[in-house]
Amino acid sequence: MSGGSRPAAAAESLHDLVVVGSGAAGMACAIVAHELGLQPVVLEKAPWFGGSTALSGGATWIPNNPHQVAAGRAESRAAVLAYLRGETGNRGSEAHWEAFLDKGPEMVAFLEARSELKFSVRPVAPDYHSDREGAGLGWRVLDPLDYDGRRLGADFDRLRPPVPEFTILGGMMVGRQDLPHLFAMTRSLRSARHVAGILARHLADRLGHRRGTRLVMGNAMAARLGHSLLARGIPLELETAAVELLVEQGRVAGVVAERQGRRRLFRARRGVVLAGGGIPHAPGLAGQIAPHRDLRGHWSMSPAHNSGDSVGLAAPLGGHLLESNSDNGFWTPVSLLPQPGGGVRPFPHLFLDRAKPGVVAVDRSGRRFVNEAASYHDFVRGLLGRDGGRGSEPPVWLVADHRAIRRYGLGAVRPFLAALGRHLRSGYLKRADTPEALAAALGIDAGGLRETLAAFNRDAAAGEDRAFGKGSTAYNRYLGDPENRPNPCLRPLDRPPFYAIQLHPGDIGASMGLETDPQARVLDGEGRPIPGLYACGNDANSIMAGAYPGAGITLGPALTFGYIAARQLAGDGG
C-alpha cells in the first residue's frame, strides 16, 4: 500500500512503533523502546505470546557479556571474529558481526537492569566447533534464570506452553541444571533431594494450574519478557495477524491487522519492526529451505504460526530473502513420536542422547555415517553428505544397548524406571535381543550392523573412535557422561537387549530471512533501507549466514538486533 492511501479498517490506533511478533526479538524491542520513551504495540497472530523462544532451550550467545567480564574472563574480539570467519567462510557480514559484538553486551546490561530478564552464565560451554581457531570453551553462553510463572497471574495461560515431550508428569519442566540430578538421583542423596524438591513443587502447582509454574529455559525467557511487557502496559494483541503495511509518503507508517475477520489499522509514527519467527512453514518455500525434503523427508520443530506472513509484508516494498547462506535452516535430527489420537509429532534429538556412551547412528547398510556427538546441525549435514559424514539415504537409526537407554534415555523414551511398553507398542522404539535380530526388525543389513558394532566396541573399549572421532573434541565430551572413562562419549554396546529409534532430518527454524543492514533496517533489491521498516529475530537473515557456531546463536542476535532496532527508532543510535 503506498501513496498515502488508507485501508478500510474497522478501527484505528496510533503508536510510535508496531512490532509484529512476540518472541524474544519482538518483546525485547518493544520493552527497550518503551524504556526509551516510545509507545509500542505488539501484534501476535498466535493465541499465545512467546513465539519460538518459548519452545527453545533459551541459550543466548553473547561474547564478552557482562557476566563474563565480571568474572575476569573477557576475551579478545579478534578471537571471536576469527571463529566466525572460520565458521562462515566468505558468506558472513563483518559489519553485522561488529554491530552484534558492540551491542550484545550492552543489550544484556540494559535488559537486566530495566526488565525482568536475568541471566546466568555457563563457565563451561564449548562452541560447537571447539577445535577451530577462536572457539570459546565457556563464558559466551547465557541462560535465563528460572521463573515463577505464578507471577504472570491470569496471563500465565497466554504464555505459549513448551513442547509436551520436554516435560514430565503432566507439564513439569526440566532445565539443564536438573538433568545431572535426574541422571544421578538413584546414586546421589543430593540429587535425590533435588528431584524430590521439584516434584513436590510440581504436585502443588497442579492443584491450581494446568501445568507446572516452575519455568525454565526458553519458556522462562518468554515469561520474563512477557511479564516485563505487560507490567509496562504495552499493548499485546494476540490472535491478531498482520496482513498489510501502510506506506505514506514513501515511508512505512503502520500495519493493517486482522482478528476474527475484522481489520484494524495500527499506525506507527516511527516505524514497524518485523519479528514474526521467520519462514520455516511458509507456503511454497519448503524446497528452498530444505532441498533434501523430497528425497529424505523433513520435519520442522518451529511453531506452525511461523509461516512467513510477516516476512511477506516486506515483499511489495522490495524486501527480499537473502539466498547466499550455506544452509537455509538450523538443522536437527528428529524422531517421529506417534500421538494417541493419530499422527506423529517430531521430537528433536538435540543434546541428550546422541553423544552418550553406548549409542551409535547407522543407516540401512548397518554402518555409521557421522560423529554422533556432533552438534545437531552438523549431524544432519553429515546425514546429507554435506560435512563431517559420508551421507546416507533414509532410513537412519539411533541404536543403544540396555545400559545406555536405562541410564540416559533415547529420544522421547525416559531413562530409569520409565516404562518402555507404550513406545514399543506404538512402534516408536524397536527392541531385539541380538544385533542380528535388531537389524531384521529395522530392515537393515545384519552383517553391516554386526561389523559396525564390533569395530565400534573395540574402539570404545580403547577410548578412541577411529572412524568418526566421537568424543574427540571438547564439545563432544561436554555432552557425554563425565563419569564414563576414559572417554565420556564411548562405551561398548554390549548389554542386551538392543534398541533403536528412526531419525529424520528436521529444523528448529529457518536461517534464511530478509536482508537487513547492521542497524536492523530492511533493505530493498538495490541495497537501500526501506524507510520505517526493520526486522530482527528469524525474520532477518541469520548473521551466521547459515552456519551454526554454538549454543544460543539465534537468541543472542535476536535480542541484540531487537535492541538495536528500538534504539534506532528512538533516535538513540544503534
Side-chain angles (χ1 to χ4, degrees):
M1 183 177 299
S2 61
S5 58
R6 289 196 50 183
E12 182 175 316
S13 56
L14 180 61
H15 313 271
D16 287 319
L17 68 151
V18 179
V19 179
V20 180
S22 68
M27 287 197 287
C29 180
I31 292 164
V32 173
H34 181 275
E35 291 299 293
L36 296 177
L38 302 185
Q39 296 177 347
V41 61
V42 178
L43 310 183
E44 171 58 63
K45 73 173 183 177
W48 313 280
F49 68 87
S52 304
T53 302
L55 304 180
S56 73
T60 305
W61 197 75
I62 304 287
N64 280 324
N65 62 75
H67 296 267
Q68 178 180 4
V69 173
R73 299 287 182 157
E75 57 189 322
S76 78
R77 176 174 294 206
V80 181
L81 289 171
Y83 183 60
L84 291 175
R85 291 186 192 108
E87 289 289 285
T88 62
N90 61 358
R91 301 176 188 269
S93 163
E94 298 259 346
H96 283 79
W97 298 341
E98 293 284 0
F100 170 61
L101 295 177
D102 278 342
K103 296 303 178 182
E106 188 178 298
M107 173 274 297
V108 172
F110 187 99
L111 287 175
E112 286 199 312
R114 301 175 72 167
S115 82
E116 290 282 340
L117 186 57
K118 314 294 180 189
F119 292 103
S120 63
V121 67
R122 296 187 198 175
V124 179
D127 286 332
Y128 289 172
H129 303 111
S130 52
D131 51 350
R132 174 163 278 158
E133 179 188 359
L137 299 181
W139 302 101
R140 293 176 179 177
V141 180
L142 298 166
D143 291 296
L145 297 186
D146 297 355
Y147 197 64
D148 186 348
R150 293 172 297 191
R151 296 190 60 199
L152 284 168
D155 290 312
F156 178 64
D157 288 335
R158 301 208 297 163
L159 170 66
R160 182 183 287 275
V163 176
E165 287 75 26
F166 282 7
T167 68
I168 60 176
L169 301 175
M172 185 180 92
M173 296 198 72
V174 177
R176 292 184 66 94
Q177 74 277 14
D178 301 319
L179 294 174
H181 294 293
L182 285 169
F183 290 143
M185 68 179 184
T186 60
R187 306 186 307 276
S188 163
L189 180 59
R190 177 171 173 266
S191 292
R193 285 174 175 166
H194 178 88
V195 173
I198 61 176
L199 284 173
R201 162 69 186 272
H202 178 65
L203 292 175
D205 279 346
R206 290 309 306 274
L207 295 176
H209 298 87
R210 286 184 290 181
R211 67 179 179 97
T213 62
R214 176 180 175 263
L215 308 182
V216 300
M217 302 186 296
N219 214 242
M221 177 180 286
R224 287 180 171 277
L225 289 169
H227 190 169
S228 302
L229 192 86
L230 295 165
R232 284 159 175 75
I234 299 172
L236 173 60
E237 303 284 347
L238 300 182
E239 299 181 274
T240 302
V243 296
E244 194 174 5
L245 294 177
L246 171 68
V247 179
E248 294 181 334
Q249 298 179 346
R251 182 179 184 84
V252 175
V255 172
V256 180
E258 188 172 279
R259 183 183 186 200
Q260 297 178 347
R262 299 190 64 186
R263 290 198 165 192
R264 178 176 171 184
L265 172 60
F266 294 85
R267 285 189 166 274
R269 299 183 186 93
R270 303 290 183 96
V272 171
V273 180
L274 304 177
I279 60 171
H281 295 287
L285 290 179
Q288 191 171 359
I289 297 169
H292 56 268
R293 184 182 298 265
D294 289 343
L295 178 63
R296 294 178 169 90
H298 188 88
W299 299 78
S300 181
M301 292 301 304
S302 188
H305 292 99
N306 294 359
S307 55
D309 299 11
S310 50
V311 169
L313 297 175
L317 306 179
H320 57 278
L321 297 172
L322 200 58
E323 300 183 3
S324 57
N325 290 347
S326 55
D327 288 291
N328 287 332
F330 300 115
W331 308 137
T332 183
V334 302
S335 52
L336 302 180
L337 187 64
Q339 297 300 293
V344 295
R345 187 201 303 270
F347 182 93
H349 292 248
L350 297 170
F351 60 85
L352 289 177
D353 51 15
R354 295 177 292 102
K356 295 299 191 291
V359 178
V360 296
V362 299
D363 59 17
R364 66 175 65 193
S365 72
R367 303 189 186 280
R368 297 170 68 206
F369 54 90
V370 73
N371 176 352
E372 295 87 353
S375 76
Y376 35 95
H377 187 79
D378 287 352
F379 184 95
V380 174
R381 285 180 64 85
L383 189 160
L384 300 176
R386 299 289 299 278
D387 279 331
R390 62 179 175 82
S392 291
E393 299 296 328
V396 300
W397 299 84
L398 200 60
V399 177
D401 68 359
H402 187 72
R403 175 170 51 180
I405 200 170
R406 279 305 193 192
R407 182 151 184 174
Y408 312 117
L410 196 68
V413 180
R414 309 296 185 194
F416 313 120
L417 301 179
L420 303 179
R422 70 182 180 94
H423 294 300
L424 291 167
R425 289 190 296 271
S426 73
Y428 176 73
L429 181 68
K430 304 292 187 181
R431 179 175 66 187
D433 290 332
T434 67
E436 292 79 7
L438 184 67
L442 304 183
I444 66 177
D445 184 79
L449 181 61
R450 181 174 57 249
E451 293 173 8
T452 292
L453 293 185
F456 180 82
N457 288 349
R458 286 193 298 270
D459 283 357
E464 181 183 4
D465 174 21
R466 292 175 293 177
F468 289 99
K470 184 178 182 183
S472 62
T473 70
Y475 173 71
N476 284 188
R477 295 188 291 273
Y478 171 66
L479 297 180
D481 179 354
E483 297 180 10
N484 188 73
R485 298 287 189 273
N487 189 318
C489 299
L490 297 177
R491 186 171 59 223
L493 280 81
D494 57 7
R495 299 287 181 89
F498 301 92
Y499 301 86
I501 289 175
Q502 189 172 356
L503 298 182
H504 307 262
D507 69 72
I508 54 175
S511 64
M512 184 169 66
L514 292 169
E515 184 176 12
T516 60
D517 68 10
Q519 288 74 48
R521 298 177 296 185
V522 178
L523 303 180
D524 66 16
E526 303 299 322
R528 299 168 303 198
I530 299 172
L533 188 61
Y534 297 76
C536 51
N538 286 351
D539 276 2
N541 196 68
S542 171
I543 67 168
M544 305 303 173
Y548 212 129
I553 58 88
T554 53
L555 280 175
L559 289 165
T560 301
F561 284 94
Y563 173 81
I564 288 172
R567 298 206 78 114
Q568 287 288 317
L569 285 157
D572 196 42

